Amino acid sequence: VVSNLTTFFPMIILSLVIMFSNGIGVSIYWLQFFYYFFATFMFLIAFGILNSTVSMLVRDYHLLLQAVFRILFYFSGTIVDIRGLKDIGGGGDALLKILELNPMYYLTSGMRDSFIGGTWFYEKPTLSIMFWLVVFLILLFGSHLHLKFRSRFVDFL
């Protein structure tokens, strides 16, 4: 996680340069970047613990993980803003509620709100609670698996 910060921070700087060149200035909402950075870090640590253990136990797990992450990425609102689903009738609002449970959506929309959206993280309490609950459950399950199989990792190598 820490080694990837060498690409994360230059991308943030590039994003700031693009924002300033398009007339978007500094605002008080930028302070919540630190909250979302911490949330991202905790999610990646929890997910890393789970995935490192499962990938030792199941050989082809990384193939499944790549496919799942690709799907989660496209449904996280990074490329297309999924808030537009409210406008389509016939269950668009229910679909939006399901897609908002994606932890990547919470992080992506939070970073977007920090820099250009103008919304505080505490204005979305349900999403915040659901995100931290998912992070806690992943961390709990990943830690449990890791402690359970730690003595047998050498056998799986």
Side-chain angles (χ1 to χ4, degrees):
V1 174
V2 174
S3 67
N4 286 320
L5 292 177
T6 58
T7 57
F8 176 74
F9 285 122
M11 293 305 289
I12 289 292
I13 292 170
L14 179 65
S15 299
L16 292 176
V17 167
I18 292 170
M19 286 171 41
F20 288 141
S21 67
N22 285 316
I24 298 173
V26 178
S27 73
I28 190 73
Y29 296 104
W30 284 26
L31 290 175
Q32 67 185 352
F33 165 78
F34 299 106
Y35 165 75
Y36 283 111
F37 180 76
F38 175 74
T40 303
F41 192 79
M42 292 305 297
F43 175 70
L44 290 175
I45 292 293
F47 209 66
I49 290 172
L50 174 67
N51 289 323
S52 66
T53 305
V54 174
S55 65
M56 289 294 294
L57 301 173
V58 181
R59 292 234 180 253
D60 291 332
Y61 175 72
H62 68 280
L63 297 173
L64 174 69
L65 185 64
Q66 287 175 350
V68 168
F69 254 100
R70 195 167 288 129
I71 291 169
L72 288 176
F73 173 75
Y74 287 115
F75 288 112
S76 67
T78 303
I79 296 178
V80 177
D81 189 10
I82 62 173
R83 290 181 223 172
L85 289 175
K86 279 192 231 180
D87 299 335
I88 63 170
D93 198 34
L95 180 61
L96 178 64
K97 295 290 183 197
I98 292 169
L99 292 176
E100 284 178 344
L101 296 178
N102 178 357
M104 294 169 93
Y105 170 79
Y106 179 76
L107 297 171
T108 303
S109 69
M111 288 289 189
R112 183 182 296 132
D113 289 342
S114 297
F115 291 113
I116 58 175
T119 304
W120 290 104
F121 67 91
Y122 57 79
E123 293 178 20
K124 301 181 270 186
T126 306
L127 290 179
S128 296
I129 291 169
M130 289 301 296
F131 171 79
W132 287 109
L133 182 65
V134 166
V135 169
F136 177 73
L137 291 174
I138 291 173
L139 186 61
L140 187 69
F141 184 65
S143 299
H144 173 73
L145 278 179
H146 184 80
L147 291 174
K148 184 175 180 178
F149 290 104
R150 180 175 27 185
S151 63
R152 297 178 42 201
F153 281 161
V154 175
D155 298 337
F156 290 108
L157 289 175

